[in-house]
Amino acid sequence: MKKKIVAMLLAGGQGSRLGILTSHMAKPAVPFGGKYRIIDFPLSNCVNSDIDTVGVLTQYRPLALNAYLGTGQHWDLDRNAGGVFVLPPYMTEKDGRWYSGTANAIWQNREFIDQYEAEYVLILSGDHIYKMDYHKMLKFHIENNAAATIAVFRVPLSEAHRFGIMNADEHNNITSFEEKPKNPKSGNASMGIYIFNWKLLRKYMQEDDLDPNSENDFGKNIIPNMLNAGERMMAYPFDGYWKDVGTITSLWEANMDMLGNPPVLDLNDPNWKIYTHNLALPPHYIDKTAKVSDSLITEGSVVRGEVVHSVLFAGTHEDANSSISDSVVFPNTFVGKNCKITKAIIGENAVIGDNCIVGGPLREGETVDNRLTDDITLIGNDVTIPAGTYIPLGAVVNAETLHLYTKEA
Amino acid sequence: MIQDTFALIYTGDSNPLLRELTLSRSVAAVPFGGRYRCIDFMLSNLVNSGVDNIGMIMQKNYHSLMDHIGSGKEWDLNRKHDGLFILPPFMTKDNAGVFRGDIEAIHSVLTYVRRSSQKYVLFTGSHTIFNTTFDDMFKQHVDTGADITIMYNNDPVFSAEDQNRDLRLIMREDGRVMEMEWNPYRPRTNARSCDVMIMDKKLLEYLIEEAYARGDSDLTRDILQRLCGTLKFYGWRYDGYVARLDSINTYYKHSMEMLNVTYARDLYNHEHPIFTKVKDELPAKYGPKANVTNSMLADGCIIEGSVSDSILFRGVTIAEDAKITNSILLQGVSVGAGAVLDHVILDKDVTIRPGRSLIGYDNFPIVLKKGQTV
């Protein structure tokens, strides 16, 4: 069946800057905001923008992601024609290869897009939190008769060196592109959201595939090549909330952005719901001994202690006399009695024994490897922390590093 | 997992003792336990027992129920083979589309019963809430060679003014039912039917055809009670938690029991999940001044004020300085700043304007109907 536009979601990345959170799952499967996973955002945006055909390109640890996507029913993407498709790399008669770059991932799946005779293809990445109407962007693309349209987000000039920068004239025509420039000319950061005319993109990808020196990447190869060839490329300015959650700090910040009144990131919008795999769990229970403020609490949780300025996912259990503040607690985590958890991200199914301190100040002479975490303490999935353990701020605790913090017997 | 059994759920029960809660919905669709409808428990019990052919007889006010059940997808009942069959009333030359009682209702769906390929039928009502599987009951039914096995529990509490569909079983030591009391003035036993029975499908067809031909209308009075001495009826005792939605008082009482961890664990048993329609709400959001204790809150709530000893369904909003105690607030209720509520049951989408107060009593909760504004 013919589709005007097909979305391709690049979900292959390991997300190494998220450290142990992605040791068993791809970045898009990482939990976010009390009940979501990162991939819910681009998928829900697609559905809300009337895009019903989405290819999800995976190659790193796809099990959690595949299981999560299922038939796409949670996003209403179980369709007769279209729907959500997981597209892993594959073998052919002659050879087969991993996706060597973002453009190569699309190139290897050109038949998927061809079968829908799509006029346009929307390229998305699986590590951003935002609400965006792609339909408006498509309208902009068509009205401007563009070959490619790239969504841009204005960042302060001082931070522009961290992004791919699209320099554009007053009519939003892109004039040049710089990847992480030392001396940025503008703050138009690429959001990693592209619309291409499919036939044209196909031609550029074919040429790129034959170039042995290419990294087969949209940012590094395809977009510069199109610009050099004089194609009409437009920058589509976006001014809502947008956050790359590719680092521990930004993931923590984005979760905190959902708190406060009004929150920076407001998902309470009946016209733009973020869909997710909802578990059939009973409502959460707040005990007589509990005190909860400025927080998000999800179904299935039981709170007997204090929770301040934190996000608790489904099935979290916090015992009496414990306190959780400025933290993100992933699903099915158990926190014992008399614990104090400060500015931490706690992985799924973790168990924190009684009388533990997580995120306490560094003690004299103590050092931690906090290259990825800064002052956020990170407890991995499925880790059991014995009672009475002291975990200093910035520490990363998983099965391999736990012994560093447990008391010598 | 039980084999070779299909289920027939009768959702035609109406109950005036539930007052405003059943004005626009059948008892089966009454919200319970913070995010569920009454019927979710029975459907989940059946699905968790491995029953995947379920006929649901609709009667009055079934719009709300249909909306909730949909295709049965949430219960995994949207199957190619068997699955969920919604059986609404319809007019034929034999009946006018409105059933006088459950006998007529079952008679009108005998085609579905005949077409079901399973040997046994599990017939249930829709106003009793518990969480179990029917495996042991089924095994007992086969082992005793009973004609009909009826599920019951020992309910020590009796209140004449809350009496509704009260079937008592007087049994021998081996569980054989010797006598039945239907809405007794002074019950002789605590053994009360849970409104679930298993029998051979052929027996159900025979009993219904015969009773219908006689012009009978009530299955309990005209079939069970009448044949108690003739056929072999056995009781199967259930020892877990049972909540019967007999009246607004028992509704209030059982709802509040969900704040007791023993009862809540029994009803929300992790091994037998209760499935329901999902709404993709945000997690519940607590503001900086929120003060909540001993309460159950569903997703989508926004709490700025104080809440204690209460149950809040999905999407309830409580503004600053509002004070809610001992209350049940159904989906979408909105309470304005400074309002005070004690012992109230607010149906869906009720709005309480800022500063208003409503105080009910333990044995007389104030009930507001769907959509009202105070």
Side-chain angles (χ1 to χ4, degrees):
Chain A
M1 186 185 165
K2 197 167 157 28
K3 298 276 178 191
K4 189 172 181 183
I5 184 164
V6 168
M8 298 295 270
L9 176 55
L10 299 162
Q14 178 188 350
S16 52
R17 289 173 303 154
L18 285 177
I20 56 172
L21 289 182
T22 51
S23 56
H24 288 94
M25 63 176 83
K27 186 155 61 172
V30 169
F32 179 83
K35 72 186 311 186
Y36 308 98
R37 292 187 186 257
I38 297 172
I39 197 168
D40 291 332
F41 287 80
L43 286 180
S44 302
N45 286 339
C46 281
V47 173
N48 290 334
S49 306
D50 289 330
I51 296 172
D52 63 6
T53 308
V54 186
V56 178
L57 301 132
T58 62
Q59 68 181 359
Y60 174 79
R61 296 257 182 209
L63 176 64
L65 194 58
N66 287 351
Y68 186 64
L69 289 173
T71 60
Q73 74 271 30
H74 305 300
W75 304 270
D76 238 354
L77 282 171
D78 49 339
R79 302 289 174 100
N80 281 339
V84 64
F85 297 83
V86 176
L87 304 169
Y90 56 88
M91 298 292 295
T92 63
E93 319 81 69
K94 289 202 197 89
D95 58 356
R97 54 177 177 162
W98 295 105
Y99 295 147
S100 57
T102 50
N104 177 257
I106 306 295
W107 175 245
Q108 288 204 39
N109 289 291
R110 56 196 179 275
E111 286 169 17
F112 172 76
I113 304 169
D114 284 341
Q115 70 179 342
Y116 292 107
E117 302 170 48
E119 279 176 69
Y120 306 100
V121 58
L122 169 69
I123 312 289
L124 302 168
S125 50
D127 46 8
H128 298 149
I129 301 295
Y130 63 108
K131 296 189 291 184
M132 182 174 175
D133 190 342
Y134 303 135
H135 202 79
K136 283 190 188 151
M137 180 171 167
L138 178 63
K139 200 163 159 254
F140 176 91
H141 177 83
I142 294 169
E143 280 171 4
N144 284 289
N145 198 18
T149 298
I150 297 161
V152 295
F153 183 77
R154 191 165 287 278
V155 296
L157 217 52
S158 58
E159 282 185 38
H161 65 276
R162 290 167 42 217
F163 297 91
I165 297 297
M166 301 285 162
N167 298 311
D169 64 19
E170 68 272 31
H171 301 296
N172 293 315
N173 287 299
I174 297 173
T175 50
S176 65
F177 168 69
E178 298 170 293
E179 181 70 32
K180 296 183 180 155
K182 285 211 177 67
N183 300 306
K185 294 192 198 77
S186 74
N188 279 340
S190 164
M191 296 165 65
I193 301 166
Y194 317 119
I195 291 177
F196 293 102
N197 292 350
W198 171 236
K199 275 191 188 139
L200 191 71
L201 176 65
R202 213 176 180 289
K203 179 174 88 81
Y204 278 94
M205 286 200 304
Q206 188 163 26
E207 287 166 11
D208 180 66
D209 190 54
L210 297 171
D211 177 0
N213 298 319
S214 172
E215 290 181 49
N216 311 119
D217 186 88
F218 278 106
K220 288 179 190 143
N221 309 103
I222 302 288
I223 290 169
N225 289 348
M226 289 179 80
L227 266 176
N228 292 339
E231 300 287 356
R232 185 171 165 80
M233 318 262 294
M234 302 296 295
Y236 175 73
F238 176 74
D239 57 5
Y241 180 94
W242 178 78
K243 192 143 186 132
D244 180 334
V245 287
T247 66
I248 298 289
T249 313
S250 62
L251 180 66
W252 180 84
E253 284 171 358
N255 275 284
M256 295 299 133
D257 285 344
M258 288 182 68
L259 304 174
N261 197 7
V264 185
L265 168 59
D266 191 358
L267 299 182
N268 190 16
D269 180 355
N271 296 320
W272 205 270
K273 276 196 176 186
I274 303 301
Y275 299 101
T276 187
H277 183 173
N278 278 279
L279 304 161
L281 294 175
H284 68 268
Y285 174 65
I286 307 289
D287 207 346
K288 294 182 183 76
T289 51
K291 193 167 177 353
V292 183
S293 66
D294 204 9
S295 296
L296 289 176
I297 316 270
T298 312
E299 59 195 19
S301 295
V302 175
V303 179
R304 303 193 198 285
E306 195 180 7
V307 180
V308 185
H309 198 251
S310 295
V311 176
L312 268 56
F313 282 71
T316 305
H317 187 110
E318 186 204 22
D319 229 325
N321 285 321
S322 285
S323 85
I324 299 175
S325 56
D326 301 318
S327 297
V328 182
V329 183
F330 286 174
N332 300 317
T333 295
F334 182 90
V335 177
K337 292 184 183 65
N338 308 316
C339 293
K340 188 169 162 54
I341 296 174
T342 317
K343 204 171 184 186
I345 298 178
I346 316 279
E348 289 180 60
N349 307 312
V351 177
I352 317 270
D354 295 346
N355 308 310
C356 285
I357 306 272
V358 176
L362 288 175
R363 291 167 299 184
E364 224 181 296
E366 197 170 31
T367 55
V368 295
D369 177 3
N370 64 351
R371 279 170 298 173
L372 292 176
T373 51
D374 199 7
D375 62 343
I376 296 164
T377 310
L378 186 56
I379 310 290
N381 297 337
D382 307 304
V383 175
T384 297
I385 302 202
T389 309
Y390 187 95
I391 313 266
L393 59 89
V396 175
V397 183
N398 63 3
E400 283 84 56
T401 61
L402 180 60
H403 70 275
L404 296 173
Y405 306 99
T406 46
K407 284 178 190 147
E408 295 80 23
Chain B
M1 293 287 159
I2 63 179
Q3 308 291 324
D4 213 9
T5 306
F6 74 103
L8 203 52
I9 306 180
Y10 178 64
T11 70
D13 290 342
S14 57
N15 181 357
L17 294 177
L18 282 168
R19 293 169 39 192
E20 288 81 350
L21 293 182
T22 46
L23 280 182
S24 63
R25 55 172 85 90
S26 56
V27 181
V30 167
F32 185 82
R35 71 172 296 189
Y36 304 97
R37 303 288 186 132
C38 190
I39 193 70
D40 292 342
F41 295 89
M42 187 56 78
L43 276 181
S44 303
N45 287 336
L46 289 167
V47 170
N48 290 333
S49 305
V51 176
D52 58 7
N53 178 13
I54 299 175
M56 194 182 265
I57 305 175
M58 304 284 186
Q59 190 167 8
K60 287 165 261 175
N61 301 342
Y62 60 85
H63 182 157
S64 167
L65 190 56
M66 294 268 292
D67 174 46
H68 181 70
I69 301 294
S71 64
K73 183 168 153 179
E74 314 284 3
W75 296 266
D76 225 357
L77 287 170
N78 53 339
R79 303 291 181 83
K80 286 199 167 175
H81 179 68
D82 285 342
L84 182 71
F85 296 85
I86 306 259
L87 309 166
F90 59 95
M91 266 165 68
T92 64
K93 65 177 172 49
D94 298 326
N95 73 60
V98 178
F99 310 132
R100 279 193 298 137
D102 42 9
I103 291 179
E104 275 193 5
I106 301 171
H107 189 264
S108 78
V109 302
L110 278 179
T111 320
Y112 162 75
V113 174
R114 289 201 187 93
R115 226 180 40 200
S116 292
S117 59
Q118 291 82 0
K119 178 175 184 330
Y120 299 98
V121 57
L122 209 151
F123 179 71
T124 85
S126 56
H127 70 284
T128 310
I129 290 172
F130 49 84
N131 182 349
T132 187
T133 61
F134 298 111
D135 301 26
D136 292 345
M137 180 179 177
F138 181 76
K139 186 167 180 300
Q140 185 195 304
H141 179 75
V142 176
D143 289 352
T144 55
D147 291 312
I148 299 180
T149 302
I150 302 168
M151 174 176 174
Y152 74 95
N153 79 325
N154 285 318
D155 183 359
V157 186
F158 174 75
S159 150
E161 64 186 51
D162 298 322
Q163 192 174 45
N164 170 59
R165 303 193 60 80
D166 185 0
L167 177 66
R168 305 276 167 160
L169 309 181
I170 293 151
M171 288 168 289
R172 284 196 320 217
E173 261 181 27
D174 66 347
R176 170 124 189 221
V177 181
M178 305 311 287
E179 211 183 315
M180 286 178 182
E181 295 182 305
W182 181 225
N183 293 330
Y185 180 59
R186 282 211 183 89
R188 280 152 60 198
T189 169
N190 286 339
R192 193 174 163 192
S193 159
C194 294
D195 226 6
V196 176
M197 60 190 94
I198 296 180
M199 69 187 98
D200 204 295
K201 163 183 126 166
K202 295 272 182 244
L203 178 63
L204 179 72
E205 284 176 47
Y206 171 78
L207 294 175
I208 293 293
E209 289 281 21
E210 201 202 34
Y212 184 75
R214 268 200 315 270
D216 291 344
S217 63
D218 192 289
L219 184 128
T220 311
R221 192 190 59 213
D222 301 330
I223 296 181
L224 295 182
Q225 222 174 359
R226 204 171 58 84
L227 295 175
C228 194
T230 323
L231 292 177
K232 263 171 85 181
F233 294 172
Y234 276 81
W236 176 70
R237 194 180 78 221
Y238 176 63
D239 292 326
Y241 178 78
V242 177
R244 293 183 174 86
L245 304 190
D246 288 332
S247 69
I248 205 79
N249 284 337
T250 55
Y251 175 82
Y252 181 78
K253 180 183 128 214
H254 290 307
S255 293
M256 288 306 168
E257 279 169 351
M258 290 303 103
L259 299 177
N260 177 323
V261 84
T262 317
Y263 297 136
R265 274 206 189 125
D266 189 310
L267 195 58
Y268 303 136
N269 182 343
H270 283 299
E271 282 167 36
H272 313 138
I274 305 298
F275 304 100
T276 188
K277 182 177 173 180
V278 301
K279 292 252 161 87
D280 293 275
E281 304 268 16
L282 276 180
K285 186 156 185 283
Y286 290 74
K289 290 192 196 161
N291 180 13
V292 179
T293 56
N294 193 36
S295 296
M296 193 177 225
L297 294 86
D299 283 358
C301 289
I302 299 179
I303 314 296
E304 302 286 350
S306 87
V307 178
S308 66
D309 309 295
S310 296
I311 293 177
L312 274 54
F313 282 67
R314 289 182 275 204
V316 171
T317 56
I318 309 289
E320 274 190 29
D321 301 319
K323 194 167 182 303
I324 318 296
T325 47
N326 305 306
S327 296
I328 301 166
L329 276 47
L330 302 194
Q331 194 184 320
V333 165
S334 149
V335 180
V340 176
L341 303 176
D342 183 40
H343 287 101
V344 300
I345 299 173
L346 304 185
D347 205 333
K348 274 175 81 172
D349 303 321
V350 164
T351 305
I352 305 291
R353 291 267 159 79
R356 301 297 154 101
S357 71
L358 284 178
I359 316 283
Y361 292 92
D362 196 15
N363 59 354
F364 197 90
I366 292 179
V367 188
L368 293 192
K369 68 176 187 200
K370 197 169 163 179
Q372 273 184 320
T373 299
V374 176

PDB file of all heavy atoms in Angstrom, chain B residues 276-287:
ATOM      1  N   THR B 276      -7.201  -4.510  33.117  1.00  0.00           N
ATOM      2  CA  THR B 276      -8.229  -3.500  32.922  1.00  0.00           C
ATOM      3  C   THR B 276      -7.864  -2.646  31.723  1.00  0.00           C
ATOM      4  O   THR B 276      -6.780  -2.764  31.173  1.00  0.00           O
ATOM      5  CB  THR B 276      -8.401  -2.645  34.194  1.00  0.00           C
ATOM      6  OG1 THR B 276      -9.530  -1.792  34.030  1.00  0.00           O
ATOM      7  CG2 THR B 276      -7.179  -1.770  34.472  1.00  0.00           C
ATOM      8  N   LYS B 277      -8.808  -1.793  31.336  1.00  0.00           N
ATOM      9  CA  LYS B 277      -8.552  -0.908  30.206  1.00  0.00           C
ATOM     10  C   LYS B 277      -7.489   0.124  30.619  1.00  0.00           C
ATOM     11  O   LYS B 277      -7.598   0.722  31.686  1.00  0.00           O
ATOM     12  CB  LYS B 277      -9.858  -0.190  29.864  1.00  0.00           C
ATOM     13  CG  LYS B 277      -9.765   0.729  28.669  1.00  0.00           C
ATOM     14  CD  LYS B 277     -11.140   1.312  28.382  1.00  0.00           C
ATOM     15  CE  LYS B 277     -11.060   2.361  27.298  1.00  0.00           C
ATOM     16  NZ  LYS B 277     -12.369   2.939  26.988  1.00  0.00           N
ATOM     17  N   VAL B 278      -6.484   0.332  29.787  1.00  0.00           N
ATOM     18  CA  VAL B 278      -5.448   1.309  30.143  1.00  0.00           C
ATOM     19  C   VAL B 278      -5.723   2.637  29.429  1.00  0.00           C
ATOM     20  O   VAL B 278      -6.357   2.677  28.387  1.00  0.00           O
ATOM     21  CB  VAL B 278      -4.024   0.807  29.834  1.00  0.00           C
ATOM     22  CG1 VAL B 278      -3.734  -0.461  30.593  1.00  0.00           C
ATOM     23  CG2 VAL B 278      -3.794   0.659  28.346  1.00  0.00           C
ATOM     24  N   LYS B 279      -5.251   3.701  30.073  1.00  0.00           N
ATOM     25  CA  LYS B 279      -5.609   5.031  29.594  1.00  0.00           C
ATOM     26  C   LYS B 279      -4.407   5.912  29.261  1.00  0.00           C
ATOM     27  O   LYS B 279      -4.569   7.071  28.927  1.00  0.00           O
ATOM     28  CB  LYS B 279      -6.415   5.752  30.689  1.00  0.00           C
ATOM     29  CG  LYS B 279      -7.770   5.140  30.940  1.00  0.00           C
ATOM     30  CD  LYS B 279      -8.891   6.025  30.420  1.00  0.00           C
ATOM     31  CE  LYS B 279     -10.174   5.273  30.240  1.00  0.00           C
ATOM     32  NZ  LYS B 279     -10.974   5.212  31.420  1.00  0.00           N
ATOM     33  N   ASP B 280      -3.192   5.408  29.400  1.00  0.00           N
ATOM     34  CA  ASP B 280      -1.998   6.207  29.115  1.00  0.00           C
ATOM     35  C   ASP B 280      -1.994   7.549  29.837  1.00  0.00           C
ATOM     36  O   ASP B 280      -1.795   8.599  29.246  1.00  0.00           O
ATOM     37  CB  ASP B 280      -1.833   6.417  27.605  1.00  0.00           C
ATOM     38  CG  ASP B 280      -1.518   5.116  26.900  1.00  0.00           C
ATOM     39  OD1 ASP B 280      -0.347   4.750  26.862  1.00  0.00           O
ATOM     40  OD2 ASP B 280      -2.472   4.464  26.420  1.00  0.00           O
ATOM     41  N   GLU B 281      -2.226   7.473  31.148  1.00  0.00           N
ATOM     42  CA  GLU B 281      -2.149   8.675  31.966  1.00  0.00           C
ATOM     43  C   GLU B 281      -0.708   8.855  32.432  1.00  0.00           C
ATOM     44  O   GLU B 281       0.057   7.915  32.499  1.00  0.00           O
ATOM     45  CB  GLU B 281      -3.029   8.515  33.226  1.00  0.00           C
ATOM     46  CG  GLU B 281      -4.473   8.199  32.955  1.00  0.00           C
ATOM     47  CD  GLU B 281      -5.320   9.438  32.873  1.00  0.00           C
ATOM     48  OE1 GLU B 281      -4.751  10.524  32.728  1.00  0.00           O
ATOM     49  OE2 GLU B 281      -6.552   9.307  32.965  1.00  0.00           O
ATOM     50  N   LEU B 282      -0.385  10.078  32.827  1.00  0.00           N
ATOM     51  CA  LEU B 282       0.906  10.348  33.453  1.00  0.00           C
ATOM     52  C   LEU B 282       0.952   9.653  34.811  1.00  0.00           C
ATOM     53  O   LEU B 282      -0.088   9.372  35.382  1.00  0.00           O
ATOM     54  CB  LEU B 282       1.013  11.842  33.754  1.00  0.00           C
ATOM     55  CG  LEU B 282       1.471  12.788  32.700  1.00  0.00           C
ATOM     56  CD1 LEU B 282       1.469  14.181  33.278  1.00  0.00           C
ATOM     57  CD2 LEU B 282       2.865  12.433  32.277  1.00  0.00           C
ATOM     58  N   PRO B 283       2.159   9.455  35.366  1.00  0.00           N
ATOM     59  CA  PRO B 283       2.209   9.045  36.767  1.00  0.00           C
ATOM     60  C   PRO B 283       1.533  10.123  37.626  1.00  0.00           C
ATOM     61  O   PRO B 283       1.395  11.266  37.195  1.00  0.00           O
ATOM     62  CB  PRO B 283       3.704   8.996  37.063  1.00  0.00           C
ATOM     63  CG  PRO B 283       4.363   8.812  35.746  1.00  0.00           C
ATOM     64  CD  PRO B 283       3.497   9.512  34.761  1.00  0.00           C
ATOM     65  N   ALA B 284       1.122   9.770  38.840  1.00  0.00           N
ATOM     66  CA  ALA B 284       0.502  10.766  39.721  1.00  0.00           C
ATOM     67  C   ALA B 284       1.540  11.809  40.083  1.00  0.00           C
ATOM     68  O   ALA B 284       2.696  11.485  40.320  1.00  0.00           O
ATOM     69  CB  ALA B 284      -0.012  10.086  40.984  1.00  0.00           C
ATOM     70  N   LYS B 285       1.100  13.071  40.105  1.00  0.00           N
ATOM     71  CA  LYS B 285       2.043  14.164  40.338  1.00  0.00           C
ATOM     72  C   LYS B 285       1.715  14.842  41.669  1.00  0.00           C
ATOM     73  O   LYS B 285       0.587  15.241  41.904  1.00  0.00           O
ATOM     74  CB  LYS B 285       1.910  15.169  39.194  1.00  0.00           C
ATOM     75  CG  LYS B 285       2.921  16.268  39.233  1.00  0.00           C
ATOM     76  CD  LYS B 285       3.113  16.835  37.825  1.00  0.00           C
ATOM     77  CE  LYS B 285       4.213  17.856  37.800  1.00  0.00           C
ATOM     78  NZ  LYS B 285       3.813  19.138  38.343  1.00  0.00           N
ATOM     79  N   TYR B 286       2.715  14.930  42.534  1.00  0.00           N
ATOM     80  CA  TYR B 286       2.557  15.554  43.837  1.00  0.00           C
ATOM     81  C   TYR B 286       3.214  16.919  43.798  1.00  0.00           C
ATOM     82  O   TYR B 286       4.379  17.031  43.435  1.00  0.00           O
ATOM     83  CB  TYR B 286       3.229  14.709  44.919  1.00  0.00           C
ATOM     84  CG  TYR B 286       2.520  13.403  45.195  1.00  0.00           C
ATOM     85  CD1 TYR B 286       2.598  12.351  44.294  1.00  0.00           C
ATOM     86  CD2 TYR B 286       1.767  13.229  46.345  1.00  0.00           C
ATOM     87  CE1 TYR B 286       1.935  11.164  44.534  1.00  0.00           C
ATOM     88  CE2 TYR B 286       1.112  12.030  46.597  1.00  0.00           C
ATOM     89  CZ  TYR B 286       1.200  11.006  45.687  1.00  0.00           C
ATOM     90  OH  TYR B 286       0.544   9.826  45.928  1.00  0.00           O
ATOM     91  N   GLY B 287       2.473  17.935  44.195  1.00  0.00           N
ATOM     92  CA  GLY B 287       3.033  19.275  44.241  1.00  0.00           C
ATOM     93  C   GLY B 287       3.854  19.481  45.496  1.00  0.00           C
ATOM     94  O   GLY B 287       3.874  18.626  46.385  1.00  0.00           O
TER      95      GLY B 287
END
